[in-house]
Amino acid sequence: MSIILTILKVIGIILLIILLIILAILLLVLFVPIRYSAGGRKEGDVLEFSGKVTWLLRAVTVQIGYEPGRAGLTKDLRIFGISLFKLRDKLRSGKKGSVSAESAGGGSTEKASGDEIALLEAEEAKPDPGTVTEAAGAEASPAEADLGKGDSEPLFEDGGEASTAQKEPHEEVPFAQPESEEIPLAQPEEEEVPFAKPEGEEVPAEQTGDVEKPEAGVSRVRAVYKKLTDRLFSVLSGIALRLNGIVGKLFNLILKVFIRICLLPITIVEKLDKILRKIGSICRKIGAVYDFFFDERVQAFLSQIMGLIRKLIGHVLPKKLIGYVRFGLDDPGYTGRVLAAVAPFYPKYGKSFSVQPDFEDLVLEGKAELKGRVYLFYVAYIGLRAILNKNTKYVIRELKKLKEVR
């Protein structure tokens, strides 16, 4: 029993240590700020900038910069002062050196083995004296010579197929074309009824069942119209089946034109019905969107979210900004708009950073240095406040209803 308790005690201590380590890492991530700094200069054609992000007293450092004419774009990632990019380059260079050494050693062994193989082949190529005398005294018969010649020629070509000399000529049987007979225009057993709907015409909406049922009066009119046209088509089709030759073809053409003319009103009605349905769907969606954005609870939610976003932006913005910028857009109107857009930041950075507008020339130059920090616990706090808002569930539910509007 004491052994089991001891084991459970050890397991509990290990789990407690793991939990404390996880808690310490979580507290470090949330409460140790992520600090950033950046600087740049634009004067004439010269453009330079650099940026740095550090965490945990520079235990993790990310750097990026650009210097024209020197190193160009540079980047670096350091963990406890060790550059991971340089370490990667060293490992790659070490691997390349080992591979080159192995390839050099392998070349010499291959050369030696190649010389040995050449000597062995030369020894095997030496003829035996006995076999030479037997070959000299023997004479081949004409039949054997012919047989040898036949063996030397390839029996098959192109992957085992028989040669063209051995193939028997293939005689093509001429295709017997039947005598031209005039086929009757209408065959009641094979051909379709002439009054069938021509290609390109849409099936009436009441036959598909996909659209909503129209009003009762319209459906009665369509039913009566359909019965009359069906009877008329049946009579005309019976006449067309009894006609052949040029008269039958001409009558069939006239019947097709007549069918299109008869079906034109239904097609127009269906097209107008679809257009009206689409217009109604668009109007319903516009009304639903209007009702959604002007709902009191949605308005309260949006105002609270905008307040949280402003707080988050104020937290992320740099705490220190030093320098100046001189700009002009070659249009006084556009230059004034940009100046109005940056005016809200003047109370915070006006003492250390100056903005110099130029309303006459197109110019952009300046110099700036900034520093700031971000606490992840504050970002998490803003996110939790947005999620736990009393109107969040209501807004999500209304958005789902808005998507279902047709």
Side-chain angles (χ1 to χ4, degrees), residues 34 39 42 44 48 71 101 128-129 177 190 209 217 235 245 249 254 270 272 278 287 308 332 344 348 360 368 393:
I34 298 174
K42 171 68 171 65
E48 296 179 356
D128 192 0
Q177 303 229 3
E190 300 177 357
V235 173
K249 292 180 180 180
I254 295 171
E270 294 298 333
L272 289 175
K278 287 182 179 179
L308 293 175
K348 188 171 184 179
E360 296 180 358
K393 292 182 180 180

Side-chain angles (χ1 to χ4, degrees), residues 64-229:
I64 186 170
Y66 176 76
E67 294 181 2
R70 298 181 182 177
L73 183 65
T74 59
K75 53 186 177 180
D76 193 10
L77 173 61
R78 294 177 178 270
I79 297 178
F80 295 105
I82 300 173
S83 176
L84 296 185
F85 291 161
K86 292 181 179 179
L87 183 61
R88 181 193 62 186
D89 295 338
K90 288 182 180 179
L91 292 175
R92 286 182 178 178
S93 62
K95 287 182 179 180
K96 288 181 180 179
S98 61
V99 169
S100 61
E102 290 177 359
S103 62
S108 60
T109 55
E110 289 177 0
K111 186 175 180 181
S113 60
D115 295 338
E116 293 176 359
I117 291 170
L119 291 174
L120 291 174
E121 289 179 353
E123 291 178 359
E124 291 177 357
K126 292 180 180 180
D128 192 0
T131 56
V132 171
T133 54
E134 290 177 1
E139 295 181 355
S141 64
E144 291 175 351
D146 294 335
L147 182 60
K149 290 180 181 179
D151 293 337
S152 63
E153 296 178 356
L155 293 177
F156 297 99
E157 295 178 356
D158 297 331
E161 294 183 357
S163 63
T164 55
Q166 295 179 359
K167 288 185 180 179
E168 295 181 357
H170 178 67
E171 297 181 357
E172 296 184 357
V173 180
F175 179 72
Q177 303 229 3
E179 297 180 358
S180 60
E181 297 179 358
E182 186 176 355
I183 300 173
L185 176 64
Q187 295 290 343
E189 300 84 11
E190 300 177 357
E191 294 188 0
E192 297 182 355
V193 182
F195 64 85
K197 197 169 185 183
E199 296 181 359
E201 296 289 337
E202 295 185 356
V203 181
E206 66 270 14
Q207 296 180 9
T208 58
D210 295 332
V211 298
E212 298 178 1
K213 293 184 179 180
E215 297 179 358
V218 179
S219 63
R220 290 197 198 98
V221 173
R222 289 182 182 177
V224 173
Y225 184 81
K226 187 175 182 300
K227 286 182 181 179
L228 291 175
T229 52

Side-chain angles (χ1 to χ4, degrees), residues 214-372:
E215 297 179 358
V218 179
S219 63
R220 290 197 198 98
V221 173
R222 289 182 182 177
V224 173
Y225 184 81
K226 187 175 182 300
K227 286 182 181 179
L228 291 175
T229 52
D230 288 345
R231 289 181 182 178
L232 182 61
F233 294 160
S234 63
V235 173
L236 295 176
S237 63
I239 296 172
L241 291 174
R242 293 181 178 87
L243 297 176
N244 292 325
I246 298 174
V247 178
K249 292 180 180 180
L250 182 61
F251 187 82
N252 194 11
L253 179 62
I254 295 171
L255 182 58
K256 287 182 179 180
V257 174
F258 181 72
I259 289 171
R260 288 181 180 274
I261 294 172
C262 291
L263 293 177
L264 187 60
I266 295 179
T267 305
I268 293 173
V269 170
E270 294 298 333
K271 295 289 185 182
L272 289 175
D273 185 58
K274 287 184 178 180
I275 293 171
L276 292 175
R277 288 178 186 277
K278 287 182 179 179
I279 293 173
S281 175
I282 292 171
C283 292
R284 285 193 295 272
K285 286 183 179 180
I286 292 173
V289 171
Y290 179 85
D291 294 338
F292 172 78
F293 281 104
F294 284 90
D295 189 295
E296 293 182 357
R297 298 185 65 177
V298 174
Q299 289 286 327
F301 173 79
L302 291 177
S303 63
Q304 292 171 0
I305 292 298
M306 290 303 296
L308 293 175
I309 291 173
R310 283 194 295 269
K311 290 181 180 179
L312 183 61
I313 292 174
H315 176 73
V316 174
L317 283 175
K319 303 302 177 184
K320 183 179 179 181
L321 179 61
I322 303 173
Y324 76 96
V325 61
R326 179 172 171 265
F327 73 97
L329 300 179
D330 201 12
D331 187 347
Y334 293 149
T335 305
R337 291 178 185 178
V338 174
L339 191 62
V342 301
F345 300 98
Y346 183 77
K348 188 171 184 179
Y349 304 112
K351 295 181 180 180
S352 58
F353 191 83
S354 64
V355 178
Q356 303 170 7
D358 190 337
F359 294 96
E360 296 180 358
D361 299 328
L362 179 63
V363 62
L364 177 61
E365 61 181 16
K367 183 178 180 181
E369 294 181 2
L370 59 89
K371 291 183 180 180

Side-chain angles (χ1 to χ4, degrees), residues 32-43:
V32 174
I34 298 174
R35 300 184 181 276
Y36 64 89
S37 62
R41 181 171 64 94
K42 171 68 171 65
E43 294 177 353

